[in-house]
Amino acid sequence: MSRSAARALIVTADDFGLDVRVNRAVERAHRDGVLTSASLMVSAPAAGDAVERARRLPGLRVGLHLVLADGPAMSSAAEIPALVGADGRFGDAMVRDGFRFFFLPAVRTQLAREIRAQFEAFAATGLTLDHVNAHKHFHVHPTVLSLVLSIGREYGLEAIRLPFEAHAPWWLAPWIALMRARLARAGIAHNDYVVGIANTGGMDEAVVLDALAALPEGIGEIYCHPAEPGAPGQGPISSSMREYRHADELAALLSPRVAAAMAGIPRGGFADVCGAGVAGISGPSAAQGRRL
């Protein structure tokens, strides 16, 4: 089996729309580098700018990056008071919120409303929905996943990121296994593995090259958080990403060495590498139908 037949890659930038510096990096990395996909935060401050850029880039596959933690909601604070503060932002107490999603029906009702609002906002852009994932991988939560699957069907959902990485924390394994099984039952396409969890914020050229040298068979998604440097004195992209090396991640996506290491491996968005989207792909992914 040839390398190109056994493997395919999706190269994704998350947080599209968070800041114009992110948007510029996404556009540049797609035009001049190896980036094939971006995940859009529809409620983020620079979402409109991101959509305008995406419309100029027909080859860029764009998905929905659901924000249910550490970011602004699409709904008003009055509509979802159990989920956000008076400023309309989600907090970052994900364990607490995860329990509330599961056990409190009133909270679930508001959660469903917000997930629908974000799908609706994406649909309003006119962009084709390539995939769905969530900020900080909150879509692994079984309640969130149930709502994404049920609501997403109405908006053309066909693929979801499976955030499985070989070196992920041990406690994540049973949740990933459950998610994998549920996606298979639902007929929703997904990748086999990701590269980006262990080195979040530090996906520089060396890290990406090491990952490419040891790619397993199947469909992989390399995801990162590129951004162009800000002006002198300009603050971080986000207070929760102060330590992220956004410029180094952009440099990796533009690296000729990275491009050379990917030569011969089919690449694209989820739609491009699903089923007949990549001719000749076989191996563990092909055996499960809609699974990528």
Side-chain angles (χ1 to χ4, degrees):
M1 183 182 297
S2 70
R3 187 184 190 199
S4 62
R7 297 173 174 84
L9 278 175
I10 304 159
V11 184
T12 304
D14 281 354
D15 299 346
F16 194 32
L18 181 60
D19 189 281
V20 173
R21 289 170 286 177
V22 174
N23 299 348
R24 289 197 298 256
V26 168
E27 182 169 10
R28 185 177 171 196
H30 178 67
R31 287 189 184 278
D32 303 327
V34 299
L35 189 72
T36 59
S37 170
S39 299
L40 176 66
M41 289 174 142
V42 292
S43 57
D49 175 81
V51 171
E52 289 181 10
R53 292 175 192 272
R55 288 171 178 160
R56 300 198 298 263
L57 302 168
L60 180 69
R61 305 309 182 204
V62 182
L64 172 60
H65 195 52
L66 281 166
V67 176
L68 303 171
D70 188 30
M74 200 73 214
S75 307
S76 70
E79 293 173 308
I80 52 170
L83 301 181
V84 300
D87 60 356
R89 290 182 61 88
F90 293 97
D92 59 3
M94 294 177 64
V95 173
R96 181 206 66 181
D97 288 342
F99 278 105
R100 294 172 72 241
F101 294 168
F102 189 83
F103 288 108
L104 301 178
V107 173
R108 285 198 302 276
T109 298
Q110 293 184 28
L111 179 65
R113 179 172 191 154
E114 174 59 18
I115 290 173
R116 180 176 294 280
Q118 292 190 35
F119 270 104
E120 187 67 31
F122 188 98
T125 69
L127 298 172
T128 299
L129 182 66
D130 181 71
H131 61 272
V132 173
N133 54 52
H135 194 44
K136 299 190 174 182
H137 309 300
F138 219 168
H139 62 303
V140 174
H141 188 289
T143 301
V144 175
L145 181 60
S146 292
L147 292 171
V148 170
L149 290 173
S150 62
I151 296 169
R153 294 258 190 216
E154 302 174 37
Y155 296 90
L157 171 66
E158 294 188 351
I160 290 178
R161 172 186 291 164
L162 181 75
F164 167 72
E165 188 171 63
H167 303 295
W170 64 268
W171 52 265
L172 192 57
W175 298 109
I176 293 295
L178 175 62
M179 182 178 183
R180 192 191 301 271
R182 293 186 67 187
L183 294 179
R185 288 198 300 271
I188 297 295
H190 63 83
N191 52 302
D192 291 303
Y193 64 91
V194 297
V195 176
I197 296 176
N199 291 286
T200 293
M203 293 291 291
D204 59 21
E205 182 189 62
V207 169
V208 174
L209 287 173
D210 284 347
L212 291 171
L215 283 183
E217 292 186 357
I219 307 302
E221 183 186 15
I222 297 176
Y223 78 92
C224 52
H225 302 83
E228 290 192 345
Q234 192 171 9
I237 297 294
S238 168
S239 60
S240 63
M241 296 191 290
R242 292 182 182 276
E243 305 302 319
Y244 280 30
R245 294 187 282 115
H246 301 287
D248 290 342
E249 297 201 351
L250 173 57
L253 294 171
L254 296 170
S255 165
R257 295 179 65 198
V258 169
M262 291 185 182
I265 304 175
R267 289 184 293 117
F270 281 79
D272 300 303
V273 300
C274 179
V278 177
I281 286 185
S282 56
S285 299
Q288 296 193 23
R290 288 288 298 159
R291 177 179 162 212
L292 290 180

